[in-house]
Amino acid sequence: MTAEIVNPLFSNELPEVPLTNAPLARVVAQVRFPAIQSIQDQVFVGKFQEAIRSLYPRPRKDVMNGFVLGTPTMVSSIIWRYLDQEAQWIVSLSDNFLSFETVKYTSRKDFTDRFGFLLEKLAETIGPTHSDRIGIRYVDQVSLSEDESMAGMLRTEMIGVKEVFGKTHHMISELEGPSQEGGVLVRWGHMPENASHDPDIMTPVSTPSWFLDVDSYKSYESESMAFNPAALSALTYQLATRAYTIFRWSVTDKFLDRYGRK
C-alpha cells in the first residue's frame, strides 16, 4: 500500500521496493570543496585519472566559460570527465567539485559504493581538505500519451491543478526545505512533448511526460566538513535514502506495479 508517512522529510527509512523497469532518467551525486586551482593542470589530475582508469577508461575535456561576478571579464574553467566503456557512468572533476552520474542505476548501495571509491581516490591523489556540500539527485521521468492522467499513480497532494484544469502546456511545482540530514529541493510536474525542466539532466522525450526531481543535500555554510571519504560516502547513502523516502511517499501502489514491483 502507499507509504503511510506523516512527513517524508523527517521520517525513518523505508524498505526498498525494487522495480524491474524504474523510470529513472538519471542519478547524480556531487561533493563540492574549496577550489584547488591545480586541478586545471592536466599533469596534476593525471594521477587521479590513473587511479580510476581501469573502471572509467574514456577521458574527455570540457571547457566552461563564465563571467566574473560584477565584471565584464570572462573566465574559462576545465571539467575533466572520465566515462566507462559504454558511457553509462560519468565522473566529472573540476577545481571545486567531483560529480558522478549514471543512467544505469541499480541500487543505493551499488551507487554509493562506486561513489565512495571515487572519493577515496580523490583524497589519495588530489587531497581536498574539506567539503562544502554533498548531495545526490534522482530524476524520474514518466512518458505519457496525449491525454493520459497521473491520477491514481500519485498521492493527491502531488497531482496539482492539472487534473482540475485539464489540458495545459506545462505545470511545475517546487519545494525546498530542511530534512533530517540537511535539506531537499524537490521539483515535479508535467511537461509537453520535446520539453524538459532541466535539459542537462533530463533529456526531452517525444511524448508528454511527468517528472519528479529530488535533490537531497547537506551544506556546510559556516564551517566546512573535513574531507573524509568514508563519512562522505555514508552521508551520501543517508541522503539517497531521504530521496527514496520522498519518492515512496509521492507514488501509489499503482505506480509501483506499473514499473515492475518485485
Side-chain angles (χ1 to χ4, degrees):
M1 60 185 299
T2 302
E4 292 300 328
I5 306 169
V6 175
N7 184 345
L9 306 187
F10 291 92
S11 62
N12 293 330
E13 177 178 357
L14 285 172
E16 192 165 2
V17 177
L19 301 178
T20 57
N21 190 29
L24 269 175
R26 195 174 302 272
V27 180
V28 183
Q30 184 186 81
V31 60
R32 301 189 71 89
F33 45 82
I36 302 173
Q37 295 177 340
S38 297
I39 289 176
Q40 298 293 300
D41 181 359
Q42 184 171 351
V43 175
F44 181 78
V45 300
K47 52 190 176 181
F48 175 72
Q49 183 202 3
E50 193 60 27
I52 69 170
R53 185 166 58 86
S54 62
L55 295 176
Y56 308 100
R58 298 172 56 186
R60 194 175 77 196
K61 176 183 176 181
D62 290 340
V63 178
M64 292 186 63
N65 297 315
F67 289 97
V68 177
L69 188 64
T71 76
T73 304
M74 178 173 282
V75 295
S76 298
S77 61
I78 296 172
I79 299 180
W80 306 100
R81 303 198 196 275
Y82 308 100
L83 290 68
D84 74 319
Q85 197 60 45
E86 292 75 32
Q88 294 180 322
W89 300 83
I90 304 175
V91 182
S92 300
L93 176 63
S94 185
D95 57 6
N96 65 349
F97 72 81
L98 172 76
S99 68
F100 182 51
E101 62 185 277
T102 188
V103 295
K104 195 181 178 181
Y105 183 89
T106 56
S107 70
R108 272 174 277 167
K109 185 178 187 309
D110 174 70
F111 186 88
T112 54
D113 283 351
R114 291 172 184 259
F115 189 47
F117 166 80
L118 295 171
L119 294 172
E120 289 177 2
K121 298 309 176 184
L122 186 70
E124 292 171 3
T125 60
I126 304 298
T129 58
H130 292 81
S131 168
D132 295 329
R133 185 186 190 275
I134 183 82
I136 188 166
R137 186 174 173 186
Y138 288 81
V139 182
D140 289 283
Q141 183 182 36
V142 174
S143 295
L144 302 170
S145 61
E146 184 63 33
D147 298 317
E148 187 176 359
S149 170
M150 287 295 291
M153 301 273 283
L154 306 173
R155 294 181 69 105
T156 304
E157 296 91 334
M158 298 294 290
I159 292 290
V161 297
K162 188 177 187 303
E163 299 300 323
V164 178
F165 293 166
K167 189 174 181 63
T168 56
H169 293 297
H170 73 269
M171 188 206 77
I172 300 176
S173 299
E174 180 176 295
L175 175 151
E176 185 168 16
S179 71
Q180 185 167 296
E181 296 75 23
V184 296
L185 173 62
V186 187
R187 289 180 287 176
W188 69 97
H190 292 262
M191 301 300 300
E193 61 274 8
N194 302 313
S196 172
H197 74 295
D198 185 346
D200 289 335
I201 197 168
M202 190 179 83
T203 303
V205 293
S206 60
T207 65
S209 61
W210 177 85
F211 74 91
L212 174 65
D213 182 345
V214 182
D215 182 1
S216 178
Y217 61 87
K218 174 70 174 178
S219 292
Y220 302 92
E221 297 178 358
S222 58
E223 183 177 323
S224 296
M225 174 184 179
F227 197 95
N228 181 315
L232 289 169
S233 180
L235 179 54
T236 303
Y237 187 92
Q238 294 170 8
L239 294 169
T241 300
R242 179 60 49 205
Y244 180 72
T245 301
I246 293 170
F247 164 76
R248 282 287 311 279
W249 179 88
S250 302
V251 304
T252 65
D253 285 348
K254 182 178 178 181
F255 185 104
L256 299 176
D257 290 339
R258 173 173 174 173
Y259 289 99
R261 173 166 44 180
K262 294 180 180 179

